[in-house]
Amino acid sequence: MNYTESSSLAESTVIGFTSGLGSITPVPSNETTCENWREVHHLVFHLANVCLAVGLVIPTTLHLHMILLRGMLSIGCTLYVVWATLYRCALDIMIWNSVFLGINILHLSYLLYKKRPVKIEKELGGVYHRLFEPLRVPPDLFRRLTGQFCMIQTLKKGQTYATEDKTSVDDRLSILLKGRMKVSYRGHFLHNIYPCAFVDSPEFRSTQMHKGEKFQVTIVADDNCRFLCWSRERLTYFLESEPFLYEIFRYLIGKDITNKLYSLNDPTLNDKKVKKLEPQMSLCTQISMLEMRNSIASSSDAVSSPQQRASAKMKPIEEGVEDDDEVFVQVSADTLTVHQLH
């Protein structure tokens, strides 16, 4: 190729590049960018932005804040899709807002599912409304507690729930739903157990420190009874994964133990008084209720009133003791010493 041909080729290339640059529309400078405003968008576009704004200004203190927020975002994204499809013909805007709409609908569905009304079985409703609802336990959490590892069992009148020195305390924890149970020690009546009360709360508290123990009291159905029964091992495992419910159980069991102490100290309480009993103190977790039950075991049979107990000194109950008069030794009225039973 000679010099003349190469020169003509270079000139044609420069001319083509120059003409190409001339066809490109120049970008306006910052001074002239907003000189001519475009026309206002369709009303649907503005309604979409209004929905987004309303969703963002909903106060977080509102109970249904997240549901309302997701609802308004979903409406706003829907209007954006309509606007981009029918009035703007912008495929990218339509696709992005469709993605946002799908995400918000999924989240809204999850929130509505969590807020759904949870139905509690009628038989368990009394336990929930009396024990768990005042402590703000959600119905769904209570349903999980009573749904997987517990069952409702029955006892006919006269049947035994636990026998002293024979039945293990490590197997179960129960709440009485219907009927009445009687607690006794070596034939001496201690107290009754009424509906919505734990059957073996003292043993549950005691076995948290000592495993492999036996019941030191006998619990017999005084009526036809139905009770909610948990597997002790599975309940403990579940409570470890639910710290809030674990604290609720600690409070309820401590309160139930305190109620039983009041029943022991005042056997004249009738059914109505026991149901209305609301103790204001809590029991120290280091005290074994088994020992406390036994230490007052014979007082309710041998003494007819609290005033007489104040004037007696109780001896430990022995297997061979048949006469209640031999259990007490008269002392001064202002002195009362209770010995631990063996």
Side-chain angles (χ1 to χ4, degrees), residues 209-269:
M209 298 178 286
H210 307 286
K211 300 295 182 181
E213 292 187 356
K214 304 293 183 181
F215 273 89
Q216 297 184 19
V217 294
T218 298
I219 304 176
V220 179
D222 205 24
D223 292 318
N224 293 331
C225 298
R226 291 177 64 84
F227 57 92
L228 182 66
C229 182
W230 284 280
S231 166
R232 182 77 62 91
E233 182 178 358
R234 298 186 64 182
L235 175 62
T236 302
Y237 179 79
F238 177 77
L239 294 180
E240 288 177 354
S241 63
E242 295 288 345
F244 170 70
L245 202 56
Y246 173 77
E247 295 299 329
I248 294 296
F249 257 78
R250 288 190 61 185
Y251 168 78
L252 290 176
I253 290 176
K255 178 181 177 181
D256 187 79
I257 293 174
T258 309
N259 284 340
K260 288 179 170 56
L261 284 176
Y262 273 86
S263 300
L264 285 171
N265 290 328
D266 191 357
T268 62
L269 292 176

Side-chain angles (χ1 to χ4, degrees), residues 205 282-288:
R205 177 61 60 85
S282 61
L283 185 65
C284 180
T285 58
Q286 285 77 13
I287 300 178
S288 172

Side-chain angles (χ1 to χ4, degrees), residues 101-120:
L101 176 61
I103 294 174
N104 281 286
I105 288 178
L106 290 176
H107 199 167
L108 179 61
S109 301
Y110 172 73
L111 294 175
L112 292 175
Y113 175 78
K114 288 183 63 178
K115 290 293 183 180
R116 76 193 188 284
V118 179
K119 294 184 65 176
I120 299 175

Side-chain angles (χ1 to χ4, degrees), residues 39-218:
E39 62 181 7
V40 177
H41 287 300
H42 195 274
L43 178 62
V44 176
F45 172 82
H46 298 288
L47 289 177
N49 285 280
V50 168
C51 291
L52 298 181
V54 171
L56 293 176
V57 299
I58 295 175
T60 57
T61 55
L62 198 62
H63 178 60
L64 301 177
H65 162 255
M66 287 303 299
I67 292 180
L68 294 176
L69 171 60
R70 291 295 173 176
M72 296 306 297
L73 292 180
S74 298
I75 296 174
C77 291
T78 302
L79 294 175
Y80 262 121
V81 171
V82 172
W83 170 73
T85 304
L86 300 180
Y87 304 103
R88 190 65 179 176
C89 299
L91 181 62
D92 52 350
I93 298 178
M94 186 269 292
I95 292 176
W96 274 111
N97 282 277
S98 298
V99 173
F100 298 151
L101 176 61
I103 294 174
N104 281 286
I105 288 178
L106 290 176
H107 199 167
L108 179 61
S109 301
Y110 172 73
L111 294 175
L112 292 175
Y113 175 78
K114 288 183 63 178
K115 290 293 183 180
R116 76 193 188 284
V118 179
K119 294 184 65 176
I120 299 175
E121 296 181 21
K122 185 177 180 180
E123 195 168 19
L124 302 178
V127 173
Y128 175 71
H129 293 304
R130 184 169 180 181
L131 298 181
F132 292 90
E133 188 179 28
L135 301 177
R136 299 185 178 181
V137 176
D140 57 336
L141 183 58
F142 177 77
R143 191 171 183 179
R144 287 176 55 199
L145 173 67
T146 58
Q148 297 181 356
F149 44 87
C150 70
M151 62 185 67
I152 296 177
Q153 299 182 356
T154 61
L155 282 178
K156 294 183 179 180
K157 183 176 181 180
Q159 288 185 328
T160 302
Y161 176 86
T163 305
E164 55 191 271
D165 298 329
K166 292 183 179 180
T167 306
S168 173
V169 300
D170 297 329
D171 296 334
R172 56 186 175 175
L173 175 68
S174 304
I175 294 181
L176 186 61
L177 301 176
K178 180 182 178 182
R180 183 177 62 184
M181 292 185 177
K182 181 174 64 175
V183 181
S184 60
Y185 174 77
R186 297 181 181 178
H188 295 268
F189 172 78
L190 296 181
H191 60 83
N192 289 319
I193 300 175
Y194 300 93
C196 297
F198 286 90
V199 177
D200 42 9
S201 55
E203 288 75 19
F204 181 81
R205 177 61 60 85
S206 177
T207 53
Q208 289 180 334
M209 298 178 286
H210 307 286
K211 300 295 182 181
E213 292 187 356
K214 304 293 183 181
F215 273 89
Q216 297 184 19
V217 294
T218 298

